[in-house]
């Protein structure tokens, strides 16, 4: 299972690389061209030194040089030095082409990964989202995918390029002078062990850097969503200090990682210098003894300094790779997670439902061992309006969550039209339910799109019909841009009552047989209340409704009242039936009606 899940991340990467294999091949060829041009680079200099300046006889392979030299040294110098420019141009063209291709592949990969992460995050169950912090998830979707881009494509090819360069140069160096090559080779074990030590430390540091970046992002998103609370309590300074402490930690981690990266590079430089010193010393002695030409030592030293370049590059890349490994782990961690609520293998598409809701001995806790619902059973007949009431925290919203299958009960069953809801596919089940919550979430887009969220292919006529029924049409038209007005984030440009009426229109247009209303009138002023109450009545007509409310008027109008206490249903029946009993319901009702006879009465906390 674990293996199968982990491979989802690899699959995305491999699929992507397979898709772009032609471009990858082209990039690899460019890299090869760049490497070969790099190997050629010091040779014109040797030719100038040995055969032009020092008058050695050119070998037969350079016979054309002998011909040019006969016309004088200057044409020969001009010709060979032109080769230097030519090689540089070739290197530039190859390197540019490689970078352009790999960048494109890299960005396409970020896009693919982001899409996969986003799609997957949306599918993960609410229990995951309640535990996860949104800021950290944001960093995973944006930051971590970006880090991966560098390594998987750009760096992977660069590493191959560096390794090819290394082998090519060593081959030529050994052919030129094996004893000097051995000196260079001797510095390698020192270099690699030092680098691999740093590599491990950088990886650990990068991991905690990423973690604290995630924490900071979470705090920012949390504060920005609750900025009105921060300001109302005058806690700006307090939040500033908390933020400073947290970003201080991020800062320290980042500095530490950067310092280690810098020391890795400096270490390579230091060892390079020692190696160069030894080669120049021994090489010059050999030139003095006539075992090498000055041109040979020029090629040798030039190769040697260039040899350390790929090694330095590899060190830098290994630091980047260790960061990328951390990011890959963080992304794989999400992708390997399975949604807790899934379609059963035998689940069928829910047909047009009538809307009979049955809870059968349902017990539930949120996984923390604290029982929330305890053996709850009730039936709501199709088209019946049931009011669910009781003090806060007794599990009313939990019942709505279970009906929507955000969670599955540990014991008992929930049936709709006689079928266990686990027997329906999730999408088709939720398609049959419309929801209006206490503080309706509206999206930061036009009013028209917010309403059409309930039915994506709704026509303008349907939208207007829904807003008219929801008592929203007139106030929408009075807005400057009418239906095209963009609602501020979390609906800030509209009043609570207006937002509720848009949410009701959104539910209306869905025309689902089952309605869940979670305290839709709470916190509204009297005027809005009248408009919302009317809109709700039109919405609820003919639907099976589960209405969570403390509103006495709504409760008296309901077909069925379910009074919940400590996770159990303690009383049930119609309002008049419950009033004839001298139970908890009647006590609550009389208490409340006595307290505020004139206004709509709330039973909360009674
Ligand atoms: P009500 O709607 O009646 O106010 P809820 O159904 O929201 O009550 O909550 C019932 C109990 O379940 C409360 O004790 C609450 O703390 C707990 N609860 C609600 N949501 C979660 C959750 N996502 N994780 C853990 N506990 C929760």
């Amino acid at each position: 299972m674990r293996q199968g899940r982990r491979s989802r991340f690899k699959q995305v990467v491999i699929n992507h690389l397979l898709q772009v294999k032609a471009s990858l091949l082209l990039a690899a060829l460019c890299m090869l061209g760049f490497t070969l041009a790099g190997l050629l680079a010091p040779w014109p200099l040797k030719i100038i030194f040995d055969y032009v300046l020092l008058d050695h006889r050119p070998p037969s392979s350079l016979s054309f040089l002998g011909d040019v030299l006969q016309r004088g040294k200057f044409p020969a110098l001009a010709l060979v030095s032109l080769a230097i420019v030519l090689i540089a141009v070739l290197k530039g063209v190859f390197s540019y082409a490689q970078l352009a291709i790999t960048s494109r592949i890299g960005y396409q990969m970020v896009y693919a990964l982001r899409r996969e992460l986003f799609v997957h995050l949306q599918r993960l169950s609410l229990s995951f989202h309640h535990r996860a912090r949104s800021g950290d998830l944001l960093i995973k979707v944006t930051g971590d995918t970006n880090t991966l881009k560098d390594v998987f494509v750009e760096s992977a090819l660069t590493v191959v390029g560096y390794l090819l360069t290394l082998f090519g140069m060593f081959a030529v160096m050994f052919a030129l002078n094996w004893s000097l090559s051995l000196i260079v080779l001797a510095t390698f074990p020192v270099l690699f062990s030092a680098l691999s030590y740093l590599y491990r430390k950088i990886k650990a540091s990068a991991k905690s850097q990423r973690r604290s970046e995630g924490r900071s992002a979470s705090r920012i998103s949390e504060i920005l969503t609750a900025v009105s609370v921060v300001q109302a309590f005058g806690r700006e300074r307090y939040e500033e200090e908390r933020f400073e402490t947290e970003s201080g930690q991020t800062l320290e981690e980042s500095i530490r990682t950067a310092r280690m990266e810098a020391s890795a590079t400096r270490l390579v430089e230091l060892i390079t210098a020692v190696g160069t010193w030894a080669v120049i010393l021994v090489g010059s002695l050999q030139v003095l003894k006539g075992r090498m030409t000055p041109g040979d030592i020029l090629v040798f030293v030039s190769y040697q300094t260039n040899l350390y370049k790929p090694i330095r590059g590899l060190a830098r890349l290994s630091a980047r790779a260790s960061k990328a490994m951390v990011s890959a782990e963080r992304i794989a961690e999400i992708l390997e997670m399975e949604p807790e609520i899934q379609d059963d293998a035998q689940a069928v598409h829910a047909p047009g439902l009538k809307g009979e809701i049955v809870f059968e001995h349902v017990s539930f806790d949120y996984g923390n061992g604290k029982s929330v619902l305890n053996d709850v059973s009730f039936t709501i007949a199709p088209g019946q309006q049931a009011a669910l009431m009781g003090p806060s925290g007794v599990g009313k919203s939990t019942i709505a969550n279970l009906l929507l299958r955000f969670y599955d009960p540990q014991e008992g069953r929930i049936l709709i039209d006689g079928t266990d809801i686990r027997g329906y596919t999730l999408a088709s089940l939720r398609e049959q339910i419309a929801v209006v919550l206490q503080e309706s979430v509206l999206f930061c887009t036009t009013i028209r799109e917010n309403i059409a969220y309930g039915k994506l292919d709704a026509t303008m006529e349907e939208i207007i019909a829904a807003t008219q029924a929801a008592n929203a049409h007139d106030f929408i038209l009075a807005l400057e841009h009418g239906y095209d007005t963009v609602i501020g984030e979390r609906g800030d440009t509209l009043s609570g009552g207006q937002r509720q009426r848009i949410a009701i229109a959104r539910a209306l247009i869905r025309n689902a047989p089952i309605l869940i209303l979670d305290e839709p009138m709470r916190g509204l002023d009297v005027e809005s209340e009248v408009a919302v109450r009317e809109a709700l009545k039109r919405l609820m007509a003919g639907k099976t409704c589960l209405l969570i409310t403390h509103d006495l008027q709504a409760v008296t109008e309901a077909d069925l009242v379910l009074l919940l206490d400590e996770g159990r249903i303690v009383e049930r029946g119609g309002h008049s039936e419950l009033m004839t009993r001298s139970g908890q319901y009647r006590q609550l009702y009389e208490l409340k009606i006595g307290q505020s006879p004139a206004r709509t009465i709330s039973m909360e906390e009674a």
Side-chain angles (χ1 to χ4, degrees), residues 130 366 368 370 372 391-399 407 518 548:
H130 279 142
Y366 280 98
N368 50 10
K370 196 178 137 229
V372 177
S392 28
V394 289
K396 301 184 295 296
S397 305
T398 303
I399 287 181
Y407 304 89
D518 195 346
I548 299 172

Side-chain angles (χ1 to χ4, degrees), residues 534-555:
E534 251 180 44
L536 280 175
K537 242 186 207 148
R538 291 192 198 121
L539 172 66
M540 291 161 73
K543 307 278 161 63
T544 308
C545 300
L546 184 70
L547 168 68
I548 299 172
T549 188
H550 294 107
D551 177 70
L552 272 199
Q553 189 175 334
V555 171

Side-chain angles (χ1 to χ4, degrees), residues 170-191:
F170 255 106
V172 182
M173 282 165 79
F174 266 96
L176 272 178
N177 189 320
W178 64 267
S179 56
L180 277 189
S181 307
L182 282 183
I183 296 179
V184 179
L185 207 60
T187 54
F188 276 37
V190 187
L191 211 59

Side-chain angles (χ1 to χ4, degrees), residues 496-498 500 520-529 532 599:
Q498 289 173 330
Q500 263 332 45
M521 306 224 294
R522 193 157 181 193
L524 298 184
D525 55 84
V526 190
E527 223 167 294
S528 305
E529 212 181 277
V532 170
R599 223 179 87 56

